[in-house]
Amino acid sequence: QVQLVESGGGLVQPGGSLRLSCAASGSIMRIYIMGWYRQAPGKERELVASITLGITNYADSVKGRFTISRDNANNTAYLQMNSLKPEDTAVYYCNLRGSNYLGTQISSWGQGTQVTVSS
């Protein structure tokens, strides 16, 4: 079993910043990719940012404002969000894809953390 615990969400004014964390634990032998997704009310879940082997990928809507990073030693991913806009309001989910010690491919989601950008 793999567990992902997210933290760092909250209420922030437009133009403000938040830093999300995602700590992974459990039977993880190798992590291929970690990503942050978000889902706003009435909308589909969308990829915000991902990181694999040090290569990062961002949705066009967050490029230049968000930065994803990863602490390999602690199996933790971060999402630094700057210059936040009301349209960034959503539940943010962490996702991990990798393999466990049996060689089985795994994909796990966190429980989500609410980010609200409002004055």
Side-chain angles (χ1 to χ4, degrees):
Q1 293 289 344
V2 175
Q3 297 81 37
L4 300 180
V5 178
E6 300 137 336
S7 61
L11 173 64
V12 64
Q13 292 186 343
S17 298
L18 285 174
R19 189 190 193 209
L20 306 183
S21 299
C22 172
S25 62
S27 179
I28 304 169
M29 183 180 75
R30 184 171 297 164
I31 296 175
Y32 302 140
I33 188 169
M34 293 189 77
W36 287 96
Y37 291 72
R38 67 186 180 188
Q39 187 166 19
K43 295 188 177 181
E44 293 186 354
R45 190 174 296 189
E46 63 174 354
L47 175 67
V48 175
S50 64
I51 183 167
T52 178
L53 298 176
I55 299 171
T56 57
N57 178 55
Y58 297 95
D60 288 342
S61 59
V62 307
K63 281 181 181 177
R65 299 188 297 121
F66 291 10
T67 302
I68 188 171
S69 60
R70 184 177 143 189
D71 179 349
N72 293 327
N74 295 302
N75 287 341
T76 300
Y78 303 95
L79 185 68
Q80 177 67 43
M81 305 186 294
N82 299 328
S83 302
L84 283 161
K85 304 176 181 180
E87 50 263 44
D88 295 318
T89 296
V91 178
Y92 284 70
Y93 298 90
C94 179
N95 175 258
L96 176 153
R97 278 179 276 165
S99 60
N100 62 19
Y101 292 104
L102 298 177
T104 302
Q105 304 299 300
I106 54 177
S107 178
S108 184
W109 290 91
Q111 80 284 359
T113 184
Q114 177 70 47
V115 171
T116 302
V117 185
S118 175
S119 55

